[in-house]
Amino acid sequence: MENFIEFTNVRKIYSMGEVEIEALGGIDFSINKGELVIIAGASGAGKSTILNILGGMDSPTSGKITVDNGSISSYNQKDLISYRRYDVGFVFQFYNLVQNLTAIENVELATQVSKAPLDVNQVIEDVGLTPRKNNFPSQLSGGEQQRVAIARALAKNPKLLLCDEPTGALDYETGKAILKLLQDTGKKTGMTIVIITHNLALTSIGNRVIKVKSGKVDSVTINPSPMDVEKVSW
Ligand SMILES: Nc1ncnc2c1ncn2[C@@H]1O[C@H](COP(=O)(O)OP(=O)(O)O)[C@@H](O)[C@H]1O
Ligand SMILES: [Mg+2]
């Protein structure tokens, strides 16, 4: 589906007392259903602001955002709550797991706010965590914790999976394994996945690469044949 996601002239201004910070200065792009999208750019470029607005966690100052024909930029608070619950899976740099719940319990918790959750044990298996499913986050490595976070996001069976620097806290090999999991998940499920990175070497793994610079889209590139994560090094 063409233009599954569309940003039209999206601006975001943060007011901090007397100071106004223009985080986004008129952003335009579109994303097709099923694409693996890389949003790349330097620190402070506006990447997280874009993802937070796309995920319904922040609202634009002006402009229009549509997701699957829903005009999320005109949603009220109630619509946004449903959107975040049912439509969006989010993966953060620092995993954000509930520390006193086991891996599988963290995943189960997320399925309780889903209309059509996937089978929790199957999702745990898909991310390679079955032997560790009864461990608490503090008993898991960073890479394993991120697998729990990905399982938690996927188990909701969302329309889109948004990942903000998902490998930012991981060593090279572990980060690569996480990216491979995300790429394989996209291929297997057809889910639309957006990954933020400041690592330009990763752009070759995306179907679409949106480069952001100083709150503006610097370029959009389509990769007809994205590289497999295994074949990329940086
Ligand atoms: N909640 C906020 N309040 C004020 N300024 C913010 C806020 N969030 C982000 N910014 C500012 O907006 C700009 C873009 O930030 P961000 O989207 O986090 O960039 P990136 O993720 O690319 O590093 C930065 O100048 C940042 O300081
Ligand atoms: Mg950021």
Side-chain angles (χ1 to χ4, degrees):
M1 189 166 80
E2 302 266 305
N3 295 357
F4 178 64
I5 295 170
E6 198 158 14
F7 271 52
T8 310
N9 199 16
V10 173
R11 298 182 75 226
K12 179 67 185 183
I13 295 169
Y14 291 109
S15 298
M16 312 202 38
E18 312 247 295
V19 186
E20 293 203 324
I21 296 167
E22 188 186 66
L24 300 180
I27 293 272
D28 297 278
F29 64 78
S30 60
I31 291 173
N32 295 338
K33 197 172 167 72
E35 286 183 331
L36 176 68
V37 180
I38 304 290
I39 298 185
S43 180
K47 305 181 298 295
S48 294
T49 305
I50 291 172
L51 212 68
N52 291 341
I53 289 175
L54 178 55
M57 297 197 298
D58 204 346
S59 53
T61 305
S62 63
K64 190 166 158 53
I65 299 112
T66 58
V67 176
D68 196 17
N69 295 317
S71 177
I72 68 162
S73 47
S74 44
Y75 280 1
N76 60 27
Q77 284 304 323
K78 193 163 161 268
D79 296 333
L80 278 175
I81 290 170
S82 313
Y83 174 70
R84 286 196 300 264
R85 275 192 191 168
Y86 306 131
D87 294 344
V88 182
F90 226 110
V91 174
F92 301 94
Q93 181 175 353
F94 295 108
Y95 332 126
N96 295 8
L97 302 177
V98 181
Q99 295 297 316
N100 66 337
L101 297 181
T102 63
I104 193 165
E105 287 165 353
N106 266 277
V107 179
E108 278 165 355
L109 187 64
T111 62
Q112 288 167 12
V113 293
S114 169
K115 278 182 189 150
L118 303 178
D119 179 74
V120 171
N121 280 297
Q122 184 61 51
V123 179
I124 291 266
E125 175 71 22
D126 291 344
V127 302
L129 270 183
T130 300
R132 308 306 305 272
K133 68 180 181 185
N134 294 317
N135 285 108
F136 291 97
S138 63
Q139 299 168 327
L140 299 172
S141 70
E144 288 163 345
Q145 290 184 66
Q146 194 61 301
R147 284 174 193 273
V148 178
I150 292 168
R152 176 178 62 182
L154 291 174
K156 284 169 51 174
N157 200 9
K159 282 183 189 168
L160 63 156
L161 180 63
L162 307 179
C163 313
D164 193 347
E165 307 263 9
T167 64
L170 301 174
D171 63 68
Y172 181 83
E173 288 300 336
T174 310
K176 213 163 161 170
I178 290 295
L179 288 172
K180 178 170 160 45
L181 172 63
L182 291 171
Q183 190 178 50
D184 289 348
T185 300
K187 282 182 189 164
K188 207 171 104 191
T189 64
M191 189 174 292
T192 308
I193 302 179
V194 184
I195 302 175
I196 286 186
T197 181
H198 57 255
N199 183 352
L200 287 177
L202 294 180
T203 56
S204 57
I205 70 168
N207 300 106
R208 182 183 298 263
V209 180
I210 301 171
K211 286 192 188 159
V212 183
K213 197 172 171 182
S214 305
K216 296 222 155 74
V217 172
D218 194 36
S219 65
V220 177
T221 314
I222 310 282
N223 278 337
S225 40
M227 297 255 286
D228 285 340
V229 170
E230 294 101 309
K231 298 198 178 110
V232 182
S233 49
W234 59 90

